[in-house]
Amino acid sequence: MGNEMKALITGITGFVGKYLELFLKDKADVYGTSRSNRGEKHIFKVDLLSESEIMELIETIKPTHIFHLAGLSNVKDSWEHKADFIHGNVIGTVHLLEAVRKVDDQIKVMTVGSSEEYGRIPDNLDKVSEDTRTNPVSPYGISKCAVSMLVNLYHKSYGLNTTHARPFNHIGPGQRLGFVTTDFAYQIAQINKGRTQEPIIRIGNLKSARDFTDVRDIVEAYYDIACFGKAGEAYNVCTGQGVNIQDIVEILISFSNKKINLVVDPSRIRVSDIPRLVGNPEKLFTLTGWQPKRKLEDTLIDIYDYWLKDL
Ligand code: GDD
């Protein structure tokens, strides 16, 4: 203890929160919020849907930086739970920003948005920059767009010291099921362990393309944005490389020693799916020199190994 940075991570026990905590270990005194009681001294049970709970915590801890990671993140789920996504992501952020405004408006707050804020982009646009017009096409994307607008509002109207990260797809060991790389790796690992009757994996739309970054690189970008980002600005966090989902499934299958067949599962097809979403990482690179270090194939091996061990 005794670092200059006192970091509060909302949603510290989530997939990204755990990696961010690990990364900040030697750089900051780290505290976090979770919805459940964890029995760890630095993690506090806080419901962001209660403004007074988060306000009390900020008053007690007096963080220098807040990383606002808490929220609902699964695009497909957001179609089944529209109100929960809008309510949880938007109201949780309002309460946090209100608490910061009332307690100490100079705390640096970094909020996490998403490439889903850009949503369906013009066909002739290869890579999305921060000034590309937002056009969300999922309830999740709309909730994150609202977060982005709220942060902007609090910066412009009250002078809050905010920055906003727009991560593209982030993946890694420990991500829960419901995201494409885990969904595929989990099924392939099950087949390899002899846990299925047939060597088939269920898939959704393989025709889309996304921009994948390892979660361990993502948290380094969050640190850079929180420390060096210009107040009021948004930053893409991405590689700039588009990868077809078809390629993801082929790479993962190549790690297994089995012949595997693909079966389209209609429940994995979305009401609307963005065909291609690839980001331009220039703005963050110019700010701090941040670049992803890990290769996609290495990350996919780690994810596959995680599921082999977990089974
Ligand atoms: N989840 C899933 N499962 N997706 C599949 C599957 C499957 O079995 N088969 C094909 N896909 C396709 C989806 O239709 C989509 O086009 C693509 O794979 C990626 O799906 P996800 O991994 O669920 O990610 P996402 O792009 O919808 O959203 C993720 O990235 C955003 C940033 O770009 C999430 O991590 C969001 O939280 C994040 O903000």
Side-chain angles (χ1 to χ4, degrees):
M1 294 284 160
N3 292 293
E4 265 177 37
M5 181 191 251
K6 224 183 209 191
L8 174 64
I9 305 174
T10 69
I12 195 168
T13 54
F15 167 54
V16 185
K18 286 189 192 126
Y19 282 100
L20 182 60
E21 177 179 3
L22 202 63
F23 178 71
L24 290 179
K25 217 173 52 184
D26 321 322
K27 298 173 181 60
D29 296 345
V30 182
Y31 301 87
T33 73
S34 166
R35 271 181 306 173
S36 56
N37 221 329
R38 313 293 292 200
E40 287 177 74
K41 274 213 309 235
H42 69 298
I43 302 184
F44 298 84
K45 181 176 179 293
V46 167
D47 183 358
L48 280 168
L49 295 179
S50 151
E51 189 189 314
S52 59
E53 284 188 27
I54 184 66
M55 203 160 128
E56 269 170 41
L57 184 68
I58 293 173
E59 267 168 346
T60 312
I61 293 177
K62 300 192 172 39
T64 57
H65 294 72
I66 298 178
F67 295 85
H68 180 36
L69 270 51
L72 299 164
S73 63
N74 190 290
V75 178
K76 170 89 174 32
D77 284 356
S78 77
W79 286 99
E80 275 99 60
H81 305 282
K82 300 173 185 76
D84 291 342
F85 272 71
I86 303 291
H87 192 69
N89 289 348
V90 179
I91 304 300
T93 305
V94 175
H95 287 162
L96 176 75
L97 294 171
E98 264 310 278
V100 169
R101 181 177 80 81
K102 289 173 184 165
V103 178
D104 174 1
D105 63 5
Q106 283 316 295
I107 297 171
K108 287 188 165 190
V109 182
M110 193 215 67
T111 49
V112 177
S114 168
S115 60
E116 282 277 318
E117 292 174 46
Y118 301 115
R120 195 169 283 267
I121 55 168
D123 290 343
N124 58 358
L125 187 63
D126 184 35
K127 291 178 190 173
V128 188
S129 301
E130 289 79 356
D131 54 8
T132 302
R133 195 174 70 88
T134 52
N135 181 28
V137 289
S138 67
Y140 168 76
I142 290 172
S143 76
K144 287 295 186 180
C145 217
V147 167
S148 173
M149 292 166 90
L150 274 166
V151 169
N152 209 13
L153 182 77
Y154 272 78
H155 168 68
K156 288 211 170 107
S157 313
Y158 298 117
L160 251 58
N161 203 338
T162 57
T163 47
H164 184 67
R166 289 204 182 115
F168 287 59
N169 296 57
H170 36 303
I171 57 172
Q175 188 172 32
R176 68 179 171 83
L177 293 174
F179 300 90
V180 70
T181 59
T182 51
D183 279 352
F184 293 169
Y186 168 76
Q187 295 182 79
I188 297 166
Q190 274 206 319
I191 293 169
N192 245 41
K193 290 253 180 182
R195 301 263 168 96
T196 57
Q197 292 193 325
E198 287 176 283
I200 57 163
I201 69 166
R202 296 179 195 287
I203 51 158
N205 172 25
L206 297 188
K207 294 205 168 72
S208 56
R210 292 288 186 275
D211 181 333
F212 292 92
T213 305
D214 189 296
V215 63
R216 292 160 284 196
D217 285 322
I218 291 272
V219 296
E220 295 190 17
Y222 287 177
Y223 176 78
D224 280 11
I225 294 170
C227 292
F228 310 112
K230 197 166 162 265
E233 295 287 316
Y235 295 90
N236 284 348
V237 184
C238 55
T239 68
Q241 305 297 319
V243 180
N244 294 321
I245 304 302
Q246 175 80 45
D247 293 338
I248 296 283
V249 79
E250 282 172 14
I251 297 170
L252 283 167
I253 287 178
S254 75
F255 302 150
S256 123
N257 52 15
K258 300 268 187 334
K259 162 131 188 40
I260 292 175
N261 298 315
L262 307 180
V263 172
V264 176
D265 174 351
S267 75
R268 288 172 191 250
I269 304 285
R270 298 175 184 185
V271 179
S272 119
D273 202 0
I274 301 163
R276 182 184 152 84
L277 203 42
V278 180
N280 180 345
E282 277 300 314
K283 188 172 171 182
L284 182 55
F285 178 71
T286 306
L287 181 77
T288 69
W290 177 86
Q291 275 182 314
K293 297 188 195 105
R294 291 163 180 86
K295 290 204 193 86
L296 175 63
E297 186 138 336
D298 293 340
T299 305
L300 292 175
I301 289 174
D302 286 351
I303 296 169
Y304 180 62
D305 283 348
Y306 171 86
W307 286 112
L308 276 182
K309 288 191 192 108
D310 201 59
L311 293 166

